[in-house]
Amino acid sequence: LDQGPAAYLRRTQKFAATWGVPEDVRVTLLATLAGWPHEVTLLSPTERKELRESSNGTRGGGGSYLRFLEPFLEGSGRVHRGPAVADERSAAAERLRGYALLIINLTGADLSSEQVEPFQMGL
């Protein structure tokens, strides 16, 4: 996640070679996994944090990364939704034009980006 798509693709190729993935399967496997870095770039900062923590084993949930990986592998991930989702978000943002959302933090504590993120769609 932190080293970028090219490093990820090199690691998947090394994985396939190290574990002796047959060549006919390797091409399909690497082609499928090649889209994963793009999928990760479409995750929100909160989701990326969750993915990072679950894949590093620092989170109690263990396999919560599967919440992101399985839809991608099934063909229903963010990368597969394409422009229709962007159009839908644009339409939603357009409907919100002329409205304002005021978030008032009465606690006095700083608001983290993770706390504010769910409200940023129309910004």
Side-chain angles (χ1 to χ4, degrees):
L1 289 174
D2 295 325
Q3 297 172 358
Y8 169 79
L9 294 174
R10 282 191 302 275
R11 285 193 307 276
T12 59
Q13 291 169 348
K14 184 177 179 183
F15 166 83
T18 300
W19 287 95
V21 176
E23 194 62 40
D24 58 328
V25 176
R26 187 180 303 189
V27 172
T28 304
L29 174 69
L30 294 177
T32 300
L33 294 178
W36 178 242
H38 182 60
E39 180 79 8
V40 171
T41 64
L42 298 174
L43 298 176
S44 70
T46 302
E47 291 171 324
R48 262 192 234 145
K49 181 180 178 194
E50 180 183 341
L51 178 61
R52 182 176 290 109
E53 289 173 349
S54 68
S55 62
N56 289 340
T58 58
R59 188 163 200 212
S64 65
Y65 69 91
L66 294 174
R67 177 170 92 84
F68 307 108
L69 182 60
E70 287 177 343
F72 167 75
L73 293 175
E74 292 169 353
S76 61
R78 288 163 176 79
V79 75
H80 300 100
R81 295 181 202 153
V85 172
D87 292 344
E88 185 179 309
R89 287 186 180 155
S90 295
E94 187 61 36
R95 286 191 300 274
L96 292 174
R97 192 171 306 285
Y99 292 90
L101 173 66
L102 178 63
I103 300 174
I104 301 173
N105 180 0
L106 299 175
T107 68
D110 289 338
L111 287 174
S112 70
S113 59
E114 288 86 14
Q115 291 170 309
V116 176
E117 179 194 350
F119 306 102
Q120 292 179 335
M121 182 180 143
L123 299 178

